Amino acid sequence: MQSRQNCKNIEPKTIFLKFFHENPYVNRALEIDIFSHLSNQGKVPKLIYQGTEYRIEEYISGRQLTVFELRNRTIYNKVAEFLCNLHYDFSLRQIADEHLGKNQENIDPKKYIEQYSKQLRDQVLAIKNYLQTHQPVDNRLEILIQFEEIFLPVDIVERYINTLNQLGESISYVLTHNDIQECNILAKDENNLNFYVIDYEYATFAPRSMDLANYINETVFENTYKCGSGANSYGRF
């Protein structure tokens, strides 16, 4: 079922047309409702029309903030403030509950960690095999091996579960953005403190610290490196 938003007094000079692509990791119905809710609050671009296959938004002639800007303490604090408001938006929480079920009943941390660690191991192994075959002239293979030793030890699942058990009831599960990085933080004008956080495709219930931890992790590396984006850059020339 498609829902048309009230277009009165909305006359953008330029629009942005976003088509939805099938993705098994995306709860599209949840993303649609989140965007509609945040658009009504002015926290994302204005929503002009939204259906099940595409969305028409106001086009923002801004730019993505860089990793170096996101390392700035003032900008970091503004992002943290935004995330705090997102996590404790009870209307959003009700929307998420409708799509995902009650959050505490919907989470199995051990199952999630086991699944994610296996996917990450498989990806790292594939990239490592590629690099060993093609023998790059730089130190990407060395860095990848160090990453594997530090972040993917044999007992990785047990370590994470033990950490969660130590935290116990102090873990607060909230609706998280789950993909906070420079490509999803869009400056609305020349003032870098005026920005939109976009792309809620991977929003889900997770520990409250997840978004901030992901933000810090993403700002360690420059994902716009010429070889590609993120971990995939290690497998390209």
Side-chain angles (χ1 to χ4, degrees), residues 58-65 185-190 192 194-196:
E58 172 191 18
Y59 178 79
I60 303 298
S61 58
R63 64 176 180 83
Q64 296 170 346
L65 294 182
I185 302 178
L186 181 66
K188 294 186 281 187
D189 50 41
E190 294 182 359
N192 294 337
N194 295 328
F195 57 79
Y196 284 135

Side-chain angles (χ1 to χ4, degrees), residues 158-202:
E158 290 73 18
R159 288 191 185 188
Y160 274 111
I161 295 300
N162 288 337
T163 300
L164 290 175
N165 290 337
Q166 291 173 10
L167 292 172
E169 296 181 357
S170 64
I171 299 178
S172 176
Y173 285 93
V174 296
L175 181 67
T176 58
H177 181 282
N178 219 28
D179 193 22
I180 292 291
Q181 38 100 352
E182 72 270 25
C183 295
N184 290 334
I185 302 178
L186 181 66
K188 294 186 281 187
D189 50 41
E190 294 182 359
N191 183 351
N192 294 337
L193 296 180
N194 295 328
F195 57 79
Y196 284 135
V197 174
I198 60 174
D199 289 348
Y200 291 81
E201 279 86 354
Y202 299 106

Side-chain angles (χ1 to χ4, degrees), residues 70-86:
L70 294 178
R71 292 172 184 167
N72 178 282
R73 180 173 296 182
T74 302
I75 294 178
Y76 171 86
N77 286 337
K78 289 291 291 185
V79 173
E81 180 182 353
F82 171 86
L83 291 174
C84 183
N85 291 332
L86 177 74

